[in-house]
Amino acid sequence: MGRMASSRRDLAVRATVDQGLLPPAEPVVALLDTAGIRASAAALTSAFAAVTDAHVLHAFAVKATPLVPVLRLLYEAGLGVEVASPGELALARAAGIPPTHTVLDSPAKTPAELRQALALGIAVNADNLQELARLDALVASAPTASPLGLRVNPQVGAGSIGALSTATATSKFGVALRDEGARKTVVQAFLERPWLTRLHTHTGSQGVPLALMAEGVGEAYALAEEINREAGRQQIDTLDIGGGLPVNFTSDEETPTYAEYARLLADTVPGLFDGRYRLVTEFGRSLLAKHGTVLARVEYTKTSGGRPIAVTHAGVQLATRTVYAPGSWPLRVLAYDSEGRPRAGETTVQDVAGPACFAGDLLATGRELPLLRPGDVVAVPDTGAYYFAHHYAYNSLPRPAIHGFTVDGDGAVTFATVREAQSLDEIVAEAGGARADALLGRDTVLR
């Protein structure tokens, strides 16, 4: 799949230039590989189907790529959504995702969010015991079709990126199971609430090894078994095991795979797949990351301290994590000429910089690449999740256009606009342009 994806990418880069999607006035654009997204969705569903006959809702984590056409594409491929804010729920509804395929998770749900979810029949995972108390009142006040659960933190440890490790001793997420008295309290909370039928956990994502993810799922499974024994019936009928499959950012190879993770779960938590529990997954980055690419023109090249520097139009506004934490989030940079053809030949150590006005706005430092020239195109792959869809408005840089693409059997590329480029008028409007006098006071005259 990696070679096919890279071939499609090369064709799409050339077509982007040929079809005028990277003009001088819009020197940065983002691409989504529709076939790649479909392939990842199929790989996920088939991986779990290979190890269980149980019902599984694969709920895409909307935060990974909050774009309505992406959500619609994944729904047509058999997936639902996991949302964590009113905005994400609005996106899911705009994409036509039904409540039965929607899960609401968030550590800070307001009463209004909870009321809306219960009125719609959306599944809700409470984050803590105080939230359960809110649900008590809401469930008592009006009937609901919403499946309701509780998130627990198995406290199994961290991966290599602390900020993305959600099952640490002091994580902000869920009820901490290993704190004194917590496990007993959780069991009792379920026994007192016959309508509480789900258990949710999520160990983390990038940087978290599969074995640790499986350990977290195993802890949640063991707790579900304990609760059902204490209840004398199968009160918990669904386990939401989260997502978090890491992504390989070093090459086009898609590893680890969903199949590897599903087999690991089958080996380490076999009861999970014996049909007694319905399952929910919440994968995000692993479904979209490999299928997104940023393209940007090289505006200038220079040398500083003997180091060649290519100044491009893609930087912190699109690759925020990489710019601020390059050690944790390194990205590849691929070189193409001004016509969108891959550059080859001798390489030179050089920096690839973005357009923002601070020294750290670098996509890559000391990278071996064919020497870039003004007018060339740089491609930044693996950016389909948590990158160009999450615009950071540094220097009031505009959001780029996003285009999905397909490639037919003859190599012809067809584009579909997912999101149009942000205009300067839209930037001004978002910055209070219609309220220029708001801070002057009623009697102040602007001179």
Side-chain angles (χ1 to χ4, degrees), residues 50 85 107 138 148 165 175 188 237 248 253 257 307 338 345 350 366 369 375 411:
S85 72
L138 292 171
L148 302 174
S165 299
V175 179
Q188 188 61 34
D237 58 23
N248 163 36
E253 184 181 3
T257 66
R307 175 77 60 80
S338 61
Q350 56 198 298
L369 291 167

Side-chain angles (χ1 to χ4, degrees), residues 250-276:
T250 64
S251 74
D252 286 322
E253 184 181 3
E254 295 189 39
T255 181
T257 66
Y258 295 118
E260 290 168 351
Y261 183 47
R263 288 194 297 268
L264 176 63
L265 288 174
D267 291 340
T268 57
V269 197
L272 186 69
F273 293 143
D274 66 9
R276 290 178 297 126

Side-chain angles (χ1 to χ4, degrees), residues 12-175:
V13 174
R14 182 66 183 272
T16 298
V17 176
D18 288 345
Q19 297 184 33
L21 299 181
L22 195 63
E26 294 181 11
V28 60
V29 69
L31 305 180
L32 285 169
D33 180 355
T34 303
I37 297 171
R38 291 184 186 277
S40 283
L44 172 59
T45 55
S46 63
F48 278 77
V51 295
T52 184
D53 293 327
H55 178 274
V56 185
L57 171 64
H58 295 292
F60 173 67
V62 173
K63 56 185 168 287
T65 309
L67 297 168
V68 171
V70 167
L71 307 186
R72 185 57 173 264
L73 175 64
L74 291 173
Y75 177 62
E76 294 296 322
L79 276 58
V81 292
E82 181 263 339
V83 300
S85 72
E88 290 184 357
L89 177 56
L91 296 178
R93 297 184 73 186
I97 315 299
T100 53
H101 286 64
T102 304
V103 179
L104 173 62
D105 294 321
S106 164
K109 306 180 198 72
T110 65
E113 287 177 68
L114 292 172
R115 280 194 296 272
Q116 180 189 29
L118 268 58
L120 292 172
I122 290 169
V124 176
N125 288 317
D127 179 79
N128 54 70
L129 299 176
Q130 291 176 4
E131 188 177 338
L132 272 187
R134 286 185 177 179
L135 287 174
D136 285 338
L138 292 171
V139 168
S141 66
T144 179
S146 292
L148 302 174
L150 178 67
R151 178 169 183 169
V152 294
N153 171 12
Q155 295 174 292
V156 293
S160 61
I161 304 175
L164 298 189
S165 299
T166 55
T168 61
T170 57
S171 171
K172 75 175 187 179
F173 293 100
V175 179

